[in-house]
């Protein structure tokens, strides 16, 4: 039995709350947020965002990858965003392993050789935010005048702390 049935039930109630809206496709704040998939981080609530306000791009760790850049280019060049926030968090799953151990584990468990793949783990969460802000700055696909901010979200308190570039 999958959990999916519960989602379908919950959605029935949500539809009543939602009502019918015709929000524009372009985010109102013109901001794209690059963040982690962590289940303890409710980005919209933590940042005071409503429907239609911002793009929220998530992956494991909230890392700036090739696919994250792909989404940002569409966000900016097709959908009008002009600002990026890199938001990592405390107690991240990307801090729980090293590439060598993880790739060895995957080789054993799944029989797949991924020894040359970087799963982008990190140890220092402020450093990972700075690294990813730097990657965005260096990317020729991100215009130089795009505002880039960074922060760390504390999963225990909900507080965000600014990380300077
Ligand atoms: Zn995380």
């Amino acid at each position: 039995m999958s959990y999916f049935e519960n989602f379908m039930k919950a959605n029935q109630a949500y539809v009543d709350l939602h009502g019918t809206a015709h929000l524009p496709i372009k985010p109102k704040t013109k901001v794209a947020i690059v963040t982690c998939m962590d289940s303890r981080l409710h980005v919209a609530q933590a940042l005071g965002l409503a429907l239609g306000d911002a793009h929220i791009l998530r992956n494991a760790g909230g890392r700036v990858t090739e696919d994250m850049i792909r989404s940002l280019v569409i966000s900016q060049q097709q959908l009008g965003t002009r600002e990026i926030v890199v938001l990592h968090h405390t107690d991240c799953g990307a801090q729980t392993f090293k590439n060598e151990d993880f790739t060895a584990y995957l080789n054993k468990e799944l029989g797949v050789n991924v020894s040359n793949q970087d799963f982008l783990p990190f140890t220092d969460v402020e450093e990972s935010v700075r690294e990813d802000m730097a990657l965005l700055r260096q990317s020729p696909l991100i215009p130089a005048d795009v505002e880039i901010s960074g922060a760390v979200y504390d999963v225990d308190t909900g507080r965000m702390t600014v990380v300077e570039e």
Side-chain angles (χ1 to χ4, degrees):
M1 181 84 64
S2 76
Y3 202 87
F4 183 68
E5 284 173 31
N6 296 68
F7 294 151
M8 292 308 294
K9 273 193 203 121
N11 180 252
Q12 288 174 13
Y14 181 68
V15 166
D16 295 334
L17 274 175
H18 188 282
T20 301
H22 298 286
L23 294 168
I25 191 172
K26 294 186 175 183
K28 192 164 104 185
T29 62
K30 301 187 177 178
V31 177
I33 296 146
V34 173
T35 194
C36 184
M37 66 187 183
D38 196 283
S39 64
R40 298 163 295 178
L41 175 46
H42 277 186
V43 180
Q45 288 168 8
L47 278 64
L49 294 168
L51 285 183
D53 280 355
H55 283 151
I56 301 172
L57 315 177
R58 306 184 77 156
N59 66 19
R63 306 310 313 265
V64 172
T65 59
E66 205 175 308
D67 192 63
M68 198 58 101
I69 301 260
R70 178 190 71 86
S71 295
L72 285 168
V73 171
I74 293 168
S75 174
Q76 297 187 332
Q77 304 301 328
Q78 290 288 336
L79 299 166
T81 63
R82 289 285 172 270
E83 183 174 342
I84 302 170
V85 175
V86 176
L87 180 62
H88 293 181
H89 67 93
T90 59
D91 195 33
C92 185
Q95 291 171 301
T96 60
F97 64 91
K98 290 190 171 72
N99 268 324
E100 309 86 80
D101 301 333
F102 193 46
T103 54
Y105 169 83
L106 291 172
N107 199 348
K108 185 165 159 273
E109 285 299 309
L110 306 175
V112 181
N113 183 359
V114 283
S115 57
N116 52 5
Q117 191 166 333
D118 187 354
F119 286 88
L120 304 173
F122 57 85
T123 48
D124 183 327
V125 66
E126 288 186 19
E127 197 48 44
S128 66
V129 171
R130 273 189 216 100
E131 264 176 34
D132 284 342
M133 290 165 87
L135 285 174
L136 293 172
R137 284 274 177 242
Q138 288 155 19
S139 173
L141 289 166
I142 307 294
D145 64 347
V146 164
E147 187 85 33
I148 300 173
S149 305
V152 172
Y153 175 87
D154 186 319
V155 294
D156 290 332
T157 64
R159 189 183 301 279
M160 271 168 68
T161 307
V162 176
V163 176
E164 303 293 345
E165 245 176 290

